[in-house]
């Protein structure tokens, strides 16, 4: 049986491609939660709440590590669009790269998967609103590279297991504007 952590990145890129093409926008940062000690290791995901640039962005993204910490997840896949993250963090850059990042985080390290994108408006033969024409560049893979501050903070929050109540944690996240999505396995 294939490892879900190996299949999930390709599935996420397909979903992001569709989102770019149809909605013309990148997703907010999100974390996909895995517990490799379970038969069905994929638990679900948390999508970041809306945030303001600067310190609020750092706090919002770091909080993505809270539910995985309470669930005692063993592995995370963290997804973000690089240019959006640089803008949110108010990082000066002349020409920020556009691309999706999938970070495969484990307790003993991480692998960053870089998927560059070139995009342009798709205004021909489209209903309102227009989508985006997306071309994916050659992906790259980097082991244990330095990460942006809020991503490091997210990993730190996750690695400090908490004994908090799961329901209260989920309720608090949802009330704050985070999207919590559980996988639904059918019993059979």
């Amino acid at each position: 049986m294939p490892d879900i952590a190996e299949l999930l990145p390709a599935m996420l890129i397909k979903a992001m491609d569709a989102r770019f093409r149809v909605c013309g926008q990148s997703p907010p940062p999100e974390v996909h939660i895995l517990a490799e000690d379970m038969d069905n290791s994929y638990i679900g995901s948390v999508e970041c709440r809306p945030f303001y640039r600067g310190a609020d962005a750092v706090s919002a993204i770091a909080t993505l590590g809270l539910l995985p910490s309470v669930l005692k997840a063993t592995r995370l896949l963290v997804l973000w669009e690089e240019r959006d993250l640089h803008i949110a963090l108010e990082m000066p850059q002349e020409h920020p790269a556009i691309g999706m990042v999938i970070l495969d985080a484990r307790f003993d390290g991480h692998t960053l998967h870089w998927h560059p994108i070139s995009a342009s408006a798709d205004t021909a033969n489209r209903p309102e609103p227009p989508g985006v024409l997306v071309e994916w560049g050659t992906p790259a893979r980097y082991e244990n590279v330095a990460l942006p501050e809020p991503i490091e903070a997210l990993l730190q929050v996750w690695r400090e297991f908490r004994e908090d109540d799961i329901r209260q944690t989920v309720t608090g996240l949802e009330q704050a504007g985070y999207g919590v999505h559980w996988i639904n396995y059918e019993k059979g």
Side-chain angles (χ1 to χ4, degrees):
M1 183 168 177
D3 178 17
I4 187 68
E6 300 302 320
L7 298 175
L8 193 54
M11 294 165 44
L12 292 172
I13 291 298
K14 263 184 138 169
M16 294 311 102
D17 182 74
R19 184 176 181 142
F20 279 125
R21 291 176 192 276
V22 174
C23 302
Q25 62 181 334
S26 62
E30 58 188 47
V31 62
H32 294 264
I33 308 165
L34 293 101
E36 296 172 306
D37 52 340
M38 296 173 50
D39 287 339
N40 296 317
S41 62
Y42 184 74
I43 297 172
S45 65
V46 180
E47 186 176 283
C48 197
R49 69 167 170 80
F51 50 76
Y52 295 102
R53 291 181 184 177
D56 188 49
V58 173
S59 175
I61 294 167
T63 301
L64 287 170
L66 184 58
L67 184 58
S69 172
V70 172
L71 294 171
K72 297 176 178 43
T74 60
R75 194 169 181 179
L76 301 181
L77 291 177
V78 185
L79 176 77
W80 71 88
E81 198 283 311
E82 186 70 6
R83 183 173 175 209
D84 283 353
L85 186 66
H86 280 252
I87 292 168
L89 299 177
E90 299 177 320
M91 297 172 72
Q93 211 176 22
E94 260 183 61
H95 302 288
I98 300 173
M100 295 305 302
V101 176
I102 299 176
L103 181 72
D104 183 354
R106 302 162 310 279
F107 285 110
D108 61 348
H110 60 266
T111 305
L112 187 141
H113 299 270
W114 167 246
H115 299 271
I117 301 169
S118 61
S120 59
D122 179 10
T123 56
N125 302 317
R126 280 260 185 213
E128 293 287 331
V132 173
L133 290 173
V134 178
E135 288 187 39
W136 293 87
T138 303
R141 175 185 172 128
Y142 305 97
E143 296 294 328
N144 299 314
V145 294
L147 300 170
E149 176 188 352
I151 305 301
E152 285 286 359
L154 181 163
L155 297 180
Q156 184 176 355
V157 168
W158 160 54
R159 290 177 174 143
E160 296 171 0
F161 285 163
R162 290 161 172 72
E163 297 299 328
D164 300 350
D165 182 79
I166 293 171
R167 288 183 186 166
Q168 287 179 350
T169 301
V170 170
T171 299
L173 287 169
E174 289 176 336
Q175 288 175 344
Y178 291 86
V180 178
H181 311 280
W182 301 103
I183 193 68
N184 203 1
Y185 293 108
E186 289 186 30
K187 296 180 181 180

